[in-house]
Amino acid sequence: MATATASTSVRDTGIGALLRHRAVGKLLLLAVAAAILIPIVNAKWASGAWPDALTVDLTEPLGKTTDWIIDNRDSHPLFVYFLGNISNGIVLSIRGVYLVLLAAGWAGVSVGAALVAWRVAGVRLAVLAGASFGLCGLLGMWVPTMQTLALMIVAVLVSVVLGMLLGLAGGLSDRVFRILRPVLDTMQVLPAFSYLLPVALVFGIGVPAAVIATVVYAAPPMARLTALGLRGADGGVMEAVTSLGTTARQRLLSARLPLARKELLLGLNQTIMMALGMAVIASMIGGAGLGDRVYQALGSVDVGAALAAGIPIVLLAVVLDRVTGAAGERLGANTQDNSPLRGRRGWSVAAAVTVVAALAARFADRLEWPESWIVNIAEPVNTAKEWMVDHIYTDVPVVGGTADWAAHFTTWVLDPIRDGLQGLPWWSVLLIIAALAWLIGTWQTALTAVLAMAATGVLGVWKPSLDTLAQVLAAVAVTVVIGFAVGIAAARSTRLEALLRPVLDVFQTMPQFVYLIPVVALFGIGRAPAVAAAIVYALPAVIRITTQGLRQVNGAAMESSRSLGATNWQQLRQVQLPLARPALLLAVNQAVVLILAVVVIGGLVGGGALGYEAVFGLAQGDLATGLVAGTAIVCLGLMLDRVTQPTERRTKKGA
Amino acid sequence: MRVISAATAGCALLALSGCASDMTKQASPYANAEGAKTVTLSVQSWVGAQADVAVAEYLLKHELGYRVDKVQIDEVPAWDALSQGRVDAIMEDWGHPDQEQRYIKDKKTIVPGGDVGVTGHIGWYVPTYFAKKHPDVTNWKNLNKYAKDFRTSESGSKGQLMDGSPSYVTNDKALVKNLGLDYEVVFAGSEAAQITQIEQFAKQQKPFLTYWYKPQWLFKKVPMTEVKLPEYKEGCDADPAKIKCAYPHTPLQKYFNADFAKKGGDAAEFLKNFKWSEEDQNEVSLMIADKKMSPEDAAKAWVAGHESKWRGWLPK
């Protein structure tokens, strides 16, 4: 997991003081504006919740759009000549990749993966790659793993090409970059859940829709990092190259792109991670493969089966992440490569050995993964789950059971926050958002946040949006408290950090759907399990960013404070935490974005609110409910992102 | 730059060229992967439908030599996928009048495939252990008296009526309102979540009121008694906003893609003949859902014991 890096710029007290002055100024200005506007607004639409006069009912036009699409999908030129070809191209290319993978057999694929890993990243990762594929087979998931891999390969390729084209345009032209940046910013705060429905409606349920949804989700980091890499090219080198009389194209190919290799690889890494994250969610619209297995397991309350399909996803993610990450590091280090697989010869050796392995398996009639080699983990896992449910669900002496906690959390935390938010007059909610966003950012971010929140009212989903917001706020509070505590501990102990790393890896890459069954088993249905799943999902990112932020605090500042006799606690409170403030803010921001993404999936376990409406829309093919909920989720995401956005933030979703 | 422009031109050509590609006739990229004949079945999320599909799959595979692909899709999108030929058959449908009108009567892309042999019924249920203690809870008129027993942290001051997946047919919100009940409909969001919750309640012998349906394997584990709602009469559910009556008894139906029904050969004929009883279905469902057998093993076990029944389904 390439974690987001935080800037460690140190603000001196002068700027800090000025900032405080500016904060007061902003608040004063806002108060004046409010004093003028609120009486007018209140006189016109005096109501607590969002006024009906300011809503737009989209039921009819959206219903008509649905009908039009369904009736014209098999005849209209737009579908037949354009979208149909895209869809067809996707089906054909995935089929091609899939057939190659099947033809190579498990032996060919495992050996090939190990050799490629060896060639680009060294022996250790070769072993990891080979073993991981073996494990996928052992779990009885070989065929679904290959289906997912085929889908991933195509989706990642398309994302990379699309991302690079966008990134090239943005990297070479300032104007395109200015237009592109807010678009990419926005795309990255969209929860994937919100655009499944429109994609499925246009492309129909199935693999093409799943690929398109994945590409929309995974292309932005590639575009952003390509543009960043190109723009960051060393001025001196560029001048030197220009002075040699090169053409623009030669400059691009011989200097700019090679100089941006690190960013390009990081972009590839991020794109792969996001695509894998989407694999399971896309199964809701027919993505097949491992995701579908997890989804079906969810349908029959089978944690064991969900885990058996979830582990290969984690393994794929870890292998791909480590290999691309290691390849990126190698690019930077200019060490002598002594491995037997170096250079072009290395590639041909790898290819030849792979073919031999595949043929050997074929002649031994072992092309498919042997049934007798499958280890069934579903049963023991389910037994363990049953034990947990039987023993800690309720009435545990003194501490109470998990179900009791969930009930208390709902009544004492979630209900008051929700009722409080829904009880506030609508204009005061907007005012609070404006104040928060302006304090932390610029007037533009404040405006975006307010408009985004207002949009949920206009769409007629003000109340469910506030319900979702309440769940997000409660989850963020818990996540930040635990995340900061663990992050601080990890920053002070290398051993703890090393211990945590694999755990965080697993939790970060395990598909969110896998969490949903255990949390229902432990917390019952309702909003509490949705919040619990979101906390589990967002914690790793918060811990990582916190640890990294604290670690990067200027060593000199730490030294000098220690020499002044500061205790550990003083040092933490007065030096480390204030200096790491940008990183901590970033952690909060990431927590908010990640939590929203899971809280809405919580619609599947009784989370209600916007998530339920999105699920309902998806399940009933009801664009009017689903698309409105999806749009509201997007607006909520935008608003939350802007309210928590550190002024200078350049990172990506998913950490 | 030349590379890019060439690529763009290529894309544009592809899009504008005559190579029309009808999206509605595309199968899954994983279908027929090893030169086998493939049938794609849609699997619904409830276990009864999984049992239908499991047995059909087993026989198609072992008796007729087909490969079977299964796709899990919600009910309404499944109709759409069936119409497009992304799947060949839906093995158990609980009645979707809008979709029947659109795809069977208007577009003629889907044809009915006959009865499954099982009659479905949706209703409100309380656990039998609670109904025994309070016999009058089984009439809707007395439900308000018990609202406080059914309260949960999610339903607040009202009683909780638990609904399941948003994809299931339900009139519960309208019913609660029109019958003047002091209840809050809480959606579990998925059947899995609902079953988990029912099992938890049953373990603690707690009272609960839930939307549920028959035939369903869970009755064997958690006996439940139906709450009488005002009697169902033909047409009483015509206006969704004014509904004041119980759910109908629906003979469950199979539906096929029109092309598949015509050209599907042995597979289509076999699926048309497929018809079994409630007990048969429950037997398989219980093996899948409660004993956690794989659908394939469950189907195998059933097939081994009921040869006389399925012999008749095979094409002559």
Side-chain angles (χ1 to χ4, degrees), chain A residues 237-572:
Chain A
V237 176
M238 291 313 295
E239 222 160 90
V241 178
T242 315
S243 69
L244 289 173
T246 48
T247 64
R249 189 162 70 101
Q250 281 169 330
R251 276 202 299 278
L252 178 66
L253 292 179
S254 66
R256 281 205 164 191
L257 279 178
L259 281 175
R261 269 188 311 190
K262 273 206 125 163
E263 278 84 0
L264 293 183
L265 258 171
L266 183 60
L268 175 67
N269 173 294
Q270 288 289 308
T271 298
I272 293 175
M273 289 299 115
M274 310 244 329
L276 267 169
M278 190 67 186
V280 177
I281 299 177
S283 69
M284 291 189 77
I285 52 172
L290 292 168
D292 189 56
R293 295 302 179 95
V294 175
Y295 189 45
Q296 288 196 24
L298 180 67
S300 51
V301 214
D302 194 339
V303 192
L307 201 63
I311 291 173
I313 298 182
V314 174
L315 291 176
L316 278 182
V318 170
V319 168
L320 289 170
D321 176 56
R322 294 279 196 279
V323 170
T324 46
E329 271 162 36
R330 286 206 162 187
L331 275 184
N334 231 343
T335 47
Q336 188 69 37
D337 192 352
N338 290 324
S339 112
L341 282 177
R342 65 183 174 277
R344 193 164 296 172
R345 213 195 45 164
W347 287 118
S348 25
V349 170
V353 176
T354 306
V355 170
V356 169
L359 288 177
R362 177 164 290 248
F363 287 124
D365 204 22
R366 282 257 188 249
L367 199 56
E368 283 177 37
W369 185 269
E371 291 255 341
S372 55
W373 293 7
I374 291 174
V375 180
N376 190 356
I377 64 156
E379 246 185 82
V381 171
N382 283 326
T383 317
K385 184 208 90 180
E386 288 293 320
W387 183 90
M388 281 198 341
V389 169
D390 286 343
H391 290 83
I392 63 176
Y393 183 65
T394 190
D395 294 334
V396 179
V398 190
V399 288
T402 48
D404 308 335
W405 298 351
H408 291 155
F409 189 71
T410 308
T411 342
W412 294 344
V413 180
L414 287 173
D415 281 352
I417 300 182
R418 180 188 63 185
D419 297 345
L421 281 176
Q422 289 181 344
L424 283 176
W426 59 275
W427 45 262
S428 65
V429 174
L430 295 185
L431 199 62
I432 294 170
I433 288 168
L436 286 175
W438 203 4
L439 280 181
I440 203 159
T442 61
W443 66 268
Q444 284 117 319
T445 51
L447 189 66
T448 318
V450 169
L451 287 180
M453 193 64 210
T456 66
V458 172
L459 288 169
V461 284
W462 181 257
K463 279 188 93 164
S465 299
L466 287 179
D467 188 355
T468 299
L469 181 60
Q471 296 175 38
V472 172
L473 291 180
V476 168
V478 178
T479 309
V480 165
V481 169
I482 303 179
F484 280 3
V486 177
I488 290 171
R492 308 203 133 221
S493 148
T494 325
R495 190 179 305 159
L496 180 65
E497 198 189 3
L499 272 177
L500 273 175
R501 188 167 178 216
V503 181
L504 297 185
D505 270 355
V506 168
F507 277 100
Q508 223 165 5
T509 41
M510 185 67 85
Q512 302 99 313
F513 277 32
V514 176
Y515 303 141
L516 292 181
I517 306 169
V519 292
V520 172
L522 287 177
F523 302 115
I525 63 159
R527 285 165 287 158
V531 168
I535 293 171
V536 175
Y537 187 65
L539 258 181
V542 174
I543 295 177
R544 280 227 158 94
I545 301 172
T546 310
T547 313
Q548 208 176 355
L550 291 178
R551 280 262 159 97
Q552 280 175 353
V553 164
N554 196 326
M558 296 288 286
E559 255 334 291
S560 62
S561 73
R562 194 168 301 138
S563 67
L564 286 174
T567 62
N568 255 346
W569 174 243
Q570 282 171 331
Q571 205 184 12
L572 177 70

Side-chain angles (χ1 to χ4, degrees), chain B residues 243-257:
Chain B
I243 286 176
K244 264 185 144 174
C245 60
Y247 293 88
H249 289 263
T250 324
L252 306 182
Q253 299 297 311
K254 296 171 288 180
Y255 290 100
F256 302 144
N257 173 277

Side-chain angles (χ1 to χ4, degrees), chain B residues 171-192:
Chain B
N171 308 323
D172 285 1
K173 275 200 165 161
L175 278 171
V176 164
K177 195 171 148 227
N178 297 338
L179 296 174
L181 297 176
D182 190 18
Y183 281 79
E184 178 83 28
V185 183
V186 174
F187 283 86
S190 58
E191 185 177 290

